[in-house]
Amino acid sequence: MDELDSFRCLVCGFIYDPERGDPRRGIEPLTAFEDLPDDYTCPVCGVSVLTQNSAFVRIETAGHACGSYRSSQNGA
């Protein structure tokens, strides 16, 4: 994985941005989601990142996001 991916909490919509980290909770900038401590919880709703069916989902990068497809047909 060449870049740090952001993750969104499905419960409340909070976005964990590894570029920012969570300094108020002791998480330094550039901390990957996978490297968060086992006891880390969503700072908004409190859901744990270590549930069997995690409430956090990876946010697709712009190049792979839905709607980024461009038609190769341009009237030619």
Side-chain angles (χ1 to χ4, degrees), residues 14 21-28 37 39-44 46-47 56:
F14 169 77
D22 191 354
R24 290 186 286 176
R25 301 179 72 207
I27 307 299
E28 296 294 322
D39 61 350
Y40 186 80
T41 58
C42 176
V44 176
V47 70
F56 282 82

Side-chain angles (χ1 to χ4, degrees), residues 1-74:
M1 194 175 337
D2 294 333
E3 59 188 65
L4 295 172
D5 292 325
S6 295
F7 283 75
R8 182 174 51 88
C9 176
L10 292 175
V11 175
C12 69
F14 169 77
I15 295 176
Y16 175 75
D17 178 0
E19 297 288 330
R20 291 181 166 176
D22 191 354
R24 290 186 286 176
R25 301 179 72 207
I27 307 299
E28 296 294 322
L30 302 179
T31 300
F33 183 83
E34 294 83 1
D35 295 333
L36 291 172
D38 291 347
D39 61 350
Y40 186 80
T41 58
C42 176
V44 176
C45 70
V47 70
S48 174
V49 297
L50 287 182
T51 58
Q52 183 176 4
N53 295 316
S54 179
F56 282 82
V57 294
R58 183 180 317 271
I59 297 174
E60 297 290 333
T61 58
H64 298 101
C66 181
S68 64
Y69 173 79
R70 292 178 189 243
S71 174
S72 60
Q73 296 176 341
N74 54 4

